Amino acid sequence: MPPSREPNRQPVPSTRGTRLRHRLAELRGPAVPPQPLDARALAALAANPGCRRRAILDGAGVNKAVLASALGSPSAFGQSQFAFMRGNAFEARVKADGGAELLRLVHEKLDAGAEPPVGGAVPDLGASGPEGRTARTALALREATAAGGWTLLDHPLLALEVAGSPAFLEPDAVVVHPDGGWTVVEIKSFPMLDGSADAAKVGAAARQSAVYVLALEQVAARLDPAPEVHHTVLLVCPKDFSNLPTASAVDVRKQCSVTRRQLDRLTRVEDIADALPEGTCFSPDLPAAELTAAVESVPATYAPECLAACELAFHCRAHSRAEGAVTSLGRSLRAELGALTTVTDVLSAAHGHTGDPTDPTVETLRRAAALRTEALGTPSPARGAGNGATSHNGAADDNEPQVPGPSRGAGNGATSHDGAADDTPPPAQRTAQQSGRSGSK
């Protein structure tokens, strides 16, 4: 009798990640290469976590600029070629000579108590594929932390899981201090005038750097003991109107906490993909009608801030306005209107056709509508008429008798039609009369 075979009790490897990658490739289009998800896109996604459309498009690696052009709503969002070349030239200048100037700025602005950097190490981070580069970066960080000196990692690659899908991020630089701490360095080409830069641009750089800090924290958590990831990043910009680098320390603790909370709120990409109709594809080669239907099958949350952060903003704005969505007027207004989500609902509630009268929002709208009607329906006396202007504050109805009233502001040859007799001569006549009296004397 042949010996009985024991059943294979080894766990079957999970294929969930493989299925998700195949599903995202189908959504993107089999022949369309994936668009990498960078920190700028993640910061914009975290600023609008309720937009499922952006979440699935970014998760699938869809090139939204090409998609917007295929939909007939091209966007000028992005960096100009001149600014791109200028930024690359400035970054090369900052990192020249093994990053000596960059390490000097880090020592001066963030770690003045440490020994001055002399000949810092610059490890080679080259590897095949994003997974290989990510592993090589993690190894270089571990080795630099153990070495106890200044180390500059030029364009390391970090991985961060976003809504169940991995995102590969490439900061400009990461510096490892002699005490083992890690600092993110962000290099921008906008100028820093008299030690300060444009607040909006600095805020965008801080949100972008916060994403890098979160990714570094995941790498540090896998080491024992875990090194400190500094929440103060170094922003390097041109000084005044020159091409010389200067730097400023930027605290990104608030941006890190906000970004972490918003990214945790994102719906998983897999859940969004499962809710889509069978055969949905966002390939720009599809006919316009079919592509539009595919994009509209995913709900979007448009706000005016999207114009500065998303390539599909013009397309989403047109549909938001066509639907009369209140969000297209701004998030602050949307928050104040509560359950009233469309302009039609707001006007209907304001005119008393719909809405609960005890609702504070409806009550405020009706009060505002009453004040507007009262202001537009009450005639106001003429004010400031002059220089030949004619004031017609008389009757709106010729059949009604007019009540005479005083003329206000009529002068410089102005004619008043308020119905009141005015015996005061015009200024020119008064001047002539006074001149005559002076001559008679």
Side-chain angles (χ1 to χ4, degrees), residues 24-25 28-36 57 60-64 66 283-285:
L24 296 180
R28 183 175 63 249
V32 179
Q35 180 78 6
L57 292 177
V62 176
N63 191 327
K64 296 191 295 297
V66 177
S283 175
D285 299 332

Side-chain angles (χ1 to χ4, degrees), residues 58-101:
D58 285 343
V62 176
N63 191 327
K64 296 191 295 297
V66 177
L67 180 62
S69 300
L71 291 172
S73 302
S75 174
F77 172 79
Q79 198 175 32
S80 67
Q81 188 67 21
F82 174 74
F84 184 76
M85 295 175 60
R86 182 182 60 185
N88 286 343
F90 177 70
E91 181 177 345
R93 182 187 182 97
V94 173
K95 295 179 179 178
D97 300 328
E101 180 65 15

Side-chain angles (χ1 to χ4, degrees), residues 242-289:
S242 67
N243 202 32
L244 299 176
T246 186
S248 177
V250 180
D251 190 348
V252 296
R253 285 177 297 179
K254 178 181 178 180
Q255 287 81 1
C256 285
S257 60
V258 172
T259 303
R260 183 185 294 108
R261 182 172 65 251
Q262 298 291 62
L263 291 179
D264 291 340
R265 288 178 54 196
L266 286 174
T267 306
R268 295 184 62 88
V269 175
E270 187 175 5
D271 298 336
I272 302 175
D274 292 340
L276 296 179
E278 189 68 24
T280 301
C281 183
F282 304 112
S283 175
D285 299 332
L286 295 175

Side-chain angles (χ1 to χ4, degrees), residues 11 34 52 67 81 103 167 169 185 239 253 267 281 300 341 352 386 411:
R52 292 194 170 195
L67 180 62
Q81 188 67 21
L103 292 176
L169 313 173
V185 177
K239 182 178 181 180
R253 285 177 297 179
T267 306
C281 183
T341 59

Side-chain angles (χ1 to χ4, degrees), residues 220-427:
R222 295 192 290 266
L223 302 182
D224 188 22
E228 180 185 3
V229 179
H230 298 157
H231 288 102
T232 300
V233 303
L234 188 72
L235 177 62
V236 182
C237 300
K239 182 178 181 180
D240 298 331
F241 299 100
S242 67
N243 202 32
L244 299 176
T246 186
S248 177
V250 180
D251 190 348
V252 296
R253 285 177 297 179
K254 178 181 178 180
Q255 287 81 1
C256 285
S257 60
V258 172
T259 303
R260 183 185 294 108
R261 182 172 65 251
Q262 298 291 62
L263 291 179
D264 291 340
R265 288 178 54 196
L266 286 174
T267 306
R268 295 184 62 88
V269 175
E270 187 175 5
D271 298 336
I272 302 175
D274 292 340
L276 296 179
E278 189 68 24
T280 301
C281 183
F282 304 112
S283 175
D285 299 332
L286 295 175
E290 184 177 348
L291 185 60
T292 302
V295 172
E296 293 302 319
S297 65
V298 189
T301 304
Y302 170 78
E305 293 82 359
C306 297
L307 293 173
C310 184
E311 295 87 344
L312 284 176
F314 289 160
H315 174 81
C316 297
R317 182 180 65 175
H319 284 263
S320 179
R321 288 178 174 178
E323 296 173 356
V326 176
T327 314
S328 61
L329 303 177
R331 289 196 181 97
S332 59
L333 182 61
R334 172 66 184 88
E336 293 179 1
L337 293 175
L340 304 176
T341 59
T342 65
V343 176
T344 303
D345 295 340
V346 173
L347 295 178
S348 179
H351 295 155
H353 303 312
T354 59
D356 185 4
T358 60
D359 188 351
T361 302
V362 176
E363 182 181 359
T364 303
L365 287 172
R366 293 181 179 178
R367 176 59 179 164
L371 291 175
R372 180 179 182 274
T373 302
E374 180 181 353
L376 295 179
T378 304
S380 59
R383 298 181 180 179
N387 299 326
T390 304
S391 174
H392 296 280
N393 280 348
D397 188 354
D398 294 337
N399 297 325
E400 292 291 336
Q402 301 306 310
V403 179
S407 174
R408 299 183 181 180
N412 299 330
T415 305
S416 175
H417 297 278
D418 283 343
D422 191 357
D423 296 331
T424 305

Side-chain angles (χ1 to χ4, degrees), residues 119-133:
V122 184
D124 182 16
L125 303 179
S128 60
E131 290 82 2
R133 288 187 58 195

